[in-house]
Amino acid sequence: MTIRILFFSVSGNTRAFVKKLQAYGEVQRTLSQEMPLIELKEITDQSHFEDEAEPFVAFVPTYLDGGNGLDNGTTEIMTNTLGEYIEYHANRSMCLGVVGSGNKNFNWQYCLTAKQYAEKFNFPFLADYELRGTPTDVETIYGILQDLVKKYA
Ligand SMILES: Cc1cc2nc3c(=O)[nH]c(=O)nc-3n(C[C@H](O)[C@H](O)[C@H](O)COP(=O)(O)O)c2cc1C
């Protein structure tokens, strides 16, 4: 069993977190063949858009125009290519949900992009973590993804 993750990362935090998830999955697999490995695909502004043939989970950090927890900025900036990728052809139908990240200093705008994706694309907001995440976040989110892919295996 494999969990496929498509992610976007501007300053490297999301990349670092999904790599930790992948490393955690490798350790889990050595303990039990039933534990899923994690496959990563980074979407960037240079990505060639492809048709996704297998289910995946999207990971997106939050960058908003005017987002400082005080102003009303709710417009996604920087990460838009991931949303466009999900919208491309039938890719949306392969997306099982989204995991958001951000910084709690942004108050109600914390992880807003992932919440907006969940609403716009009508898939679940699965989990959130701050910045590069903690070891507990890795464990928790791996568990959530494991339960999710089991349903689709
Ligand atoms: C200009 C800027 C705007 C940001 N806006 C938000 C925001 O509105 N809400 C939030 O939760 N985090 C916000 N963040 C925090 C980032 O989402 C957080 O640092 C995240 O871990 C970045 O992921 P990345 O390194 O993979 O790009 C912002 C960060 C920057 C630099």
Side-chain angles (χ1 to χ4, degrees):
M1 200 165 52
T2 306
I3 299 168
R4 295 186 68 236
I5 292 177
L6 265 61
F7 70 97
F8 200 94
S9 188
V10 178
S11 69
N13 288 348
T14 308
R15 190 181 304 112
F17 185 75
V18 295
K19 284 190 172 165
K20 283 194 280 184
L21 266 181
Q22 188 174 45
Y24 183 82
E26 279 164 16
V27 173
Q28 296 306 307
R29 177 59 77 92
T30 63
L31 304 174
S32 160
Q33 277 302 315
E34 298 195 350
M35 299 303 270
L37 288 172
I38 306 239
E39 204 180 285
L40 301 178
K41 178 167 175 175
E42 181 165 5
I43 304 297
T44 70
D45 291 341
Q46 280 72 47
S47 286
H48 170 68
F49 282 23
E50 294 171 326
D51 291 315
E52 290 299 323
E54 304 285 337
F56 66 90
V57 174
F59 276 59
V60 68
T62 314
Y63 292 89
L64 300 173
D65 181 15
N68 60 7
L70 300 170
D71 298 336
N72 288 324
T74 57
T75 304
E76 177 187 17
I77 53 170
M78 318 283 271
T79 54
N80 307 62
T81 304
L82 182 62
E84 288 163 15
Y85 192 92
I86 292 169
E87 269 185 311
Y88 179 73
H89 292 177
N91 285 349
R92 153 67 192 95
S93 64
M94 289 297 166
C95 187
L96 302 179
V98 63
V99 175
S101 60
N103 181 331
K104 286 185 178 162
N105 290 341
F106 287 88
N107 300 318
W108 62 272
Q109 289 162 326
Y110 173 61
C111 293
L112 192 63
T113 301
K115 290 176 185 164
Q116 288 173 334
Y117 278 21
E119 193 179 337
K120 175 177 178 183
F121 296 120
N122 194 29
F123 48 52
F125 177 85
L126 297 166
D128 65 88
Y129 64 92
E130 269 196 287
L131 302 171
R132 293 188 172 213
T134 64
T136 307
D137 292 329
V138 172
E139 235 176 273
T140 307
I141 293 176
Y142 181 84
I144 290 169
L145 300 185
Q146 184 190 6
D147 290 345
L148 186 70
V149 295
K150 259 192 212 155
K151 281 200 252 168
Y152 291 88

